[in-house]
Amino acid sequence: MFVSKFQPSRPKTPPEVAKAIKDSLNALDTKTVAEVKALEKAMEEVEKNFVTMRCMLSGDGEVEPNVEQVSQLALEISKEDVISLVVHKLPILGWEARKDLVLCWSILLKQQVDSKYCCVEYIEKNLELLDFLVVCYDNKEIALNCGNMLRECIKFPSLAQYILNSASFVLFFKFVELPNFDVASDAFSTFKDILTKHASLVAEYLTGHYDEFFDLYEKLLTSSNYVTRRQSLKLLSDFLLEAPNVQIMKRYILEVRYLKIMMTLLRDSSKNIQISAFHIFKVFVANPNKPREIKIILAKNHEKLLELLNSLSGKVAEDEQFEEEKELIIKEIEKVSRLQSLKS
């Protein structure tokens, strides 16, 4: 069992803990940070207070947390502007302090006081904190911590909605392709949560930002990075086929440019990408209201498509359903290719 080197000398009350955290974070000013010894001492105080906060919120391994104290601490931390402080001081905090903060952040956001999420309400009044956390993906030292904190925020519709509609959201299209694999993967996890946790909010966002969003998304689907192509294709299938996004999906499958992307991905060297592409491609083909332009593309390329589809096989567990769907799509492509109206 992990035993911290910091042990509070006496039990502190929630207001005392909140004030101690605030004071120790405020002590990390420009002058202190510039002096090595002063910074070490100030950082030690921050870490000690974070340990006290963690023990009060989650227990110490032997004693369970006191529910009333947990609620009171959440309230005090909101009242004392500690939430804003911990976010803005993140870049200079040490590894242990950041680890404790991520754990405490998750607990604090879930705390209800008088049926209200006081810490969430605080963030709703200080939404620039969410922008700060998003931008921190550019700092690989704290990116994973910020990612964890963002995903906790995204669980709440009001905070997810803000991120979706903020200028910061488009940064995810850059972050998911960062050269650092761990940071890029974490950014994609957050990106995925934003697009899948609250389907009705996403449908509303996509309705208002359709062209902008899918122009950017096309770059992910055609990326030279295999992981980016595979993840973005799977995610597209996840949110595009959600019931609240049916109108978005109907609009998407009318566009020749997106059909061509799926046809290109059907030829990808990766079987996983081919299978994922098929699950979106089949919606274009099965659409009973296919535009003439879509029919022409399918007819012109029907021989190559049939050859490709015949060579495609699903994963073992899904083979039967996959083969049935594939057979239907093959028949539909054959039917379209025989249409006399397309030959004039």
Side-chain angles (χ1 to χ4, degrees), residues 31-216:
K31 184 180 177 182
T32 302
V33 172
E35 297 174 11
V36 178
K37 286 187 178 179
L39 176 60
E40 284 180 1
K41 187 177 178 182
M43 204 68 81
E44 208 168 278
E45 192 64 24
V46 170
E47 289 185 20
K48 182 181 75 174
N49 289 323
F50 275 22
V51 167
T52 304
M53 173 171 63
R54 171 169 58 77
C55 290
M56 184 170 284
L57 290 174
S58 64
D60 60 7
E62 295 179 4
V63 180
E64 290 293 308
N66 180 300
V67 177
E68 286 185 14
Q69 283 195 330
V70 171
S71 295
Q72 193 180 357
L73 180 58
L75 189 60
E76 292 295 330
I77 279 175
S78 301
K79 283 166 56 180
E80 292 289 336
D81 287 327
V82 173
I83 294 173
S84 181
L85 267 176
V86 295
V87 170
H88 287 297
K89 298 291 184 181
L90 249 174
I92 57 174
L93 294 180
W95 186 84
E96 280 290 344
R98 295 199 306 269
K99 187 180 74 169
D100 281 339
L101 173 59
V102 169
L103 173 65
C104 293
W105 183 267
S106 171
I107 298 169
L108 287 167
L109 260 59
K110 295 169 188 168
Q111 292 310 306
Q112 286 184 282
V113 180
D114 296 331
S115 301
K116 293 180 180 179
Y117 293 100
C118 54
C119 292
V120 173
E121 285 191 349
Y122 179 90
I123 297 171
E124 287 172 347
K125 293 171 186 172
N126 298 273
L127 289 166
E128 72 282 355
L129 296 176
L130 296 173
D131 294 310
F132 186 91
L133 288 173
V134 172
V135 171
C136 282
Y137 267 117
D138 256 334
N139 182 342
K140 65 181 180 182
E141 295 299 318
I142 60 171
L144 304 188
N145 305 115
C146 292
N148 272 308
M149 293 165 72
L150 274 171
R151 287 190 291 279
E152 290 299 326
C153 292
I154 290 162
K155 291 175 182 177
F156 297 89
S158 60
L159 305 186
Q161 184 175 33
Y162 173 78
I163 295 173
L164 257 179
N165 290 282
S166 71
S168 308
F169 178 61
V170 297
L171 294 175
F172 280 99
F173 291 93
K174 178 186 87 167
F175 294 149
V176 299
E177 292 209 86
L178 286 171
N180 184 300
F181 178 78
D182 290 337
V183 175
S185 296
D186 194 276
F188 199 92
S189 293
T190 306
F191 186 54
K192 179 180 179 180
D193 278 6
I194 295 170
L195 292 171
T196 57
K197 288 290 182 187
H198 309 285
S200 57
L201 289 180
V202 173
E204 184 183 329
Y205 167 78
L206 292 176
T207 301
H209 302 81
Y210 180 89
D211 291 326
E212 177 193 4
F213 177 84
F214 284 108
D215 281 351
L216 290 167

Side-chain angles (χ1 to χ4, degrees), residues 195-236:
L195 292 171
T196 57
K197 288 290 182 187
H198 309 285
S200 57
L201 289 180
V202 173
E204 184 183 329
Y205 167 78
L206 292 176
T207 301
H209 302 81
Y210 180 89
D211 291 326
E212 177 193 4
F213 177 84
F214 284 108
D215 281 351
L216 290 167
Y217 209 92
E218 181 178 342
K219 294 173 184 175
L220 299 184
L221 294 170
T222 56
S223 169
S224 59
N225 185 303
Y226 162 74
V227 176
T228 301
R229 288 200 311 280
R230 182 178 175 182
Q231 288 184 324
S232 57
L233 186 57
K234 176 68 170 64
L235 176 57
L236 178 65

Side-chain angles (χ1 to χ4, degrees), residues 204-303:
E204 184 183 329
Y205 167 78
L206 292 176
T207 301
H209 302 81
Y210 180 89
D211 291 326
E212 177 193 4
F213 177 84
F214 284 108
D215 281 351
L216 290 167
Y217 209 92
E218 181 178 342
K219 294 173 184 175
L220 299 184
L221 294 170
T222 56
S223 169
S224 59
N225 185 303
Y226 162 74
V227 176
T228 301
R229 288 200 311 280
R230 182 178 175 182
Q231 288 184 324
S232 57
L233 186 57
K234 176 68 170 64
L235 176 57
L236 178 65
S237 179
D238 287 345
F239 73 79
L240 202 57
L241 302 180
E242 282 274 350
N245 290 326
V246 65
Q247 295 306 319
I248 302 298
M249 185 265 287
K250 285 181 178 179
R251 184 174 173 183
Y252 189 85
I253 61 173
L254 296 178
E255 302 203 38
V256 168
R257 63 189 279 203
Y258 299 136
L259 171 63
K260 287 181 176 179
I261 290 172
M262 292 308 136
M263 287 167 61
T264 300
L265 291 169
L266 277 172
R267 299 197 306 269
D268 198 277
S269 58
S270 161
K271 180 180 175 180
N272 284 315
I273 287 180
Q274 290 179 335
I275 299 294
S276 294
F278 171 78
H279 288 304
I280 299 177
F281 173 76
K282 71 185 181 187
V283 187
F284 282 88
V285 179
N287 178 17
N289 302 307
K290 287 186 285 293
R292 178 179 169 82
E293 295 82 357
I294 295 284
K295 291 177 182 177
I296 289 172
I297 294 289
L298 294 174
K300 281 184 177 179
N301 295 275
H302 78 279
E303 289 182 0

Side-chain angles (χ1 to χ4, degrees), residues 315-326:
K315 297 171 185 175
V316 178
E318 304 167 355
D319 269 356
E320 192 175 335
Q321 183 183 349
F322 180 84
E323 290 301 326
E324 287 176 6
E325 290 179 347
K326 192 176 77 171

